[in-house]
Amino acid sequence: MVNPSKGIMDLQAYVPGAAQAPGSAAPLRLASNEAALGTSAKAVAAMANVARGLDRYPDPECARLRQALGARYSHSPDQIVCGSGSEALIHIIMRSYLGPDDGFLAPEFAFSLGRIAAMSCGASVEIAKAKPNLEMDVDALLATASAKTKVVYLPNPNNPTGVLLKTTELLRLREGLAPNILLVIDSAYRDYVSDPEYEPGDAMVGRQTGNVIVLGTFSKSYGLAGARVGWLYSSLDVVSVINRVRPAFAVNSIAQTGAIAALEDVAHVSAEIALVRTQRDWLSSALSRLGLSVTPSQGNFVLAHFPQGAVAAGQANSFLTTRGILVRPVNNYGLPDALRITIGTHDQMQSVVSALAEFLCAARGSQNLQNA
Ligand SMILES: Cc1ncc(COP(=O)(O)O)c(C=O)c1O
């Protein structure tokens, strides 16, 4: 056998959300934090039109898309790089900055792709304990940073917990880290945040030089998870590094066109955001009334903990699957007593709550809910 690079065999591959439920032709898919309202009809129509031009390579610079993103988020387009989903950009960032002598630091329970990408570069992984309520802890992050630390990865809000660092805490983190440490703020869920004390990190990005990258994606509020489009916003020196490493034709023509049309369909994305915020509150309250403990979320999902423990969470997941409802177990994050549920329409949320009520009632009746 040819040996892979250092660290590769220590990696656990990314665990994607389930997409199929046995016996259900069209399951309710609430396992991958996709948009509740799906793709904008205008974006669908625009993408269908591109099919005739696929004999040509896509624009390698994503010029029109970066222009549209710049207009939407008040960024200079030359400080934006687009990629095939933010996942690809996370890999490119880690490959650009991390080697076997470097450390990658993330909060406990952070979205796992950052760690996977860092380990694939041979970097060592440093994890800062979360607070007991799962919130990210700036003091712990600063205390865990070592002489090796080169990149800090901060998903804000975090997936799968839904917690966020408020702006003052984010600034305190940046100020407490050495200037030669790159802070990567993954703001995949930025549009769903309702906390007024939140800022995605854009204001921390310098023009010429800097040490902050902010990531965004079209997979969540823009309803284009299948098209694979993400972007990063950073200073020109970082952009020039990333542009050397990224694939030349990273974003295909259909995806570029779909993303531009999705940005233009402001009514659709606004409806998505409003729906998710409302249903997030509704689902959180309904789950609490069922006796589950819900981590307050600012994303398009909630993390529900079963006080009865890990076995109950596993049984609930199996029960939901038999009902054609797919949610996300998070054992791989060290949270075996919890399930992560993506926010959908009100009818979908009612289906989840009814099924869970039925499960909990039956389980209490037969006394077969066990502690892990
Ligand atoms: C925090 C976070 N970052 C990045 C991603 C990946 O997004 P993309 O579809 O753009 O690769 C996800 C997907 O769930 C996520 O939760």
Side-chain angles (χ1 to χ4, degrees):
M1 177 181 162
V2 182
N3 285 330
S5 307
K6 180 179 171 249
I8 300 289
M9 296 313 282
D10 299 327
L11 269 173
Q12 302 287 330
Y14 179 71
V15 185
Q20 279 165 1
S24 174
L28 175 50
R29 290 173 58 171
L30 303 174
S32 295
N33 297 347
E34 293 146 340
L37 290 182
T39 312
S40 135
K42 290 181 181 160
V44 172
M47 288 189 283
N49 261 333
V50 181
R52 274 185 223 96
L54 291 180
D55 53 327
R56 302 292 177 194
Y57 281 100
D59 172 10
E61 311 295 339
C62 298
R64 281 188 56 226
L65 175 53
R66 289 189 297 112
Q67 201 75 42
L69 274 168
R72 164 71 178 80
Y73 290 107
S74 306
H75 298 337
S76 176
D78 59 0
Q79 291 183 247
I80 297 172
V81 182
C82 296
S84 178
S86 51
E87 171 188 21
L89 290 169
I90 291 170
H91 276 279
I92 292 163
I93 293 166
M94 301 310 162
R95 206 178 327 140
S96 303
Y97 288 96
L98 291 178
D101 296 333
D102 300 317
F104 162 91
L105 170 59
E108 190 180 15
F109 310 122
F111 181 57
S112 63
L113 265 180
R115 179 172 39 85
I116 291 173
M119 287 178 75
S120 72
C121 304
S124 46
V125 172
E126 305 163 320
I127 299 293
K129 284 290 270 176
K131 295 181 185 172
N133 63 1
L134 306 189
E135 276 180 14
M136 299 179 275
D137 185 338
V138 169
D139 292 319
L141 280 158
L142 293 176
T144 312
S146 71
K148 283 182 92 176
T149 310
K150 185 91 175 286
V151 172
V152 175
Y153 174 67
L154 193 95
N156 199 36
N158 183 40
N159 169 17
T161 53
V163 298
L164 64 67
L165 274 189
K166 294 180 194 287
T167 307
T168 47
E169 284 294 275
L170 198 57
L171 286 171
R172 193 162 76 81
L173 174 63
R174 181 59 274 179
E175 277 158 20
L177 292 169
N180 60 353
I181 294 177
L182 181 65
L183 176 59
V184 179
I185 305 168
D186 184 343
S187 59
Y189 300 97
R190 60 187 292 158
D191 292 335
Y192 295 117
V193 174
S194 53
D195 186 332
E197 290 177 60
Y198 166 81
E199 200 276 322
D202 295 343
M204 294 162 69
V205 170
R207 166 75 184 153
Q208 209 63 43
T209 60
N211 48 21
V212 174
I213 295 179
V214 178
L215 282 163
T217 181
F218 282 87
S219 301
K220 309 299 172 187
S221 55
Y222 292 106
L224 282 172
R228 313 303 303 128
V229 199
W231 78 91
L232 68 77
Y233 171 58
S234 192
S235 45
L236 292 175
D237 59 342
V238 171
V239 164
S240 113
V241 170
I242 300 297
N243 274 334
R244 287 162 215 264
V245 182
R246 72 167 171 89
F249 299 102
V251 185
N252 71 65
S253 316
I254 295 180
Q256 288 191 37
T257 301
I260 293 165
L263 278 171
E264 283 167 358
D265 195 348
V266 176
H268 183 80
V269 73
S270 304
E272 160 76 19
I273 294 165
L275 175 86
V276 165
R277 289 181 182 172
T278 309
Q279 294 308 314
R280 182 172 67 199
D281 287 349
W282 186 87
L283 180 67
S284 303
S285 308
L287 294 175
S288 304
R289 280 197 299 276
L290 289 181
L292 305 183
S293 129
V294 178
T295 302
S297 171
Q298 291 285 304
N300 67 339
F301 54 88
V302 298
L303 189 65
H305 304 261
F306 288 71
Q308 304 90 343
V311 172
Q315 289 172 344
N317 182 49
S318 305
F319 183 85
L320 291 174
T321 305
T322 62
R323 291 298 166 97
I325 300 173
L326 298 170
V327 300
R328 183 68 154 265
V330 277
N331 311 39
N332 56 324
Y333 281 92
L335 296 164
D337 69 330
L339 295 176
R340 192 197 68 194
I341 306 167
T342 300
I343 303 299
T345 62
H346 186 60
D347 285 354
Q348 293 171 343
M349 297 298 93
Q350 273 184 321
S351 304
V352 175
V353 171
S354 308
L356 278 175
E358 196 184 327
F359 164 77
L360 289 167
C361 185
R364 277 186 200 117
S366 64
Q367 293 291 302
N368 69 350
L369 278 187
Q370 301 158 36
N371 285 312

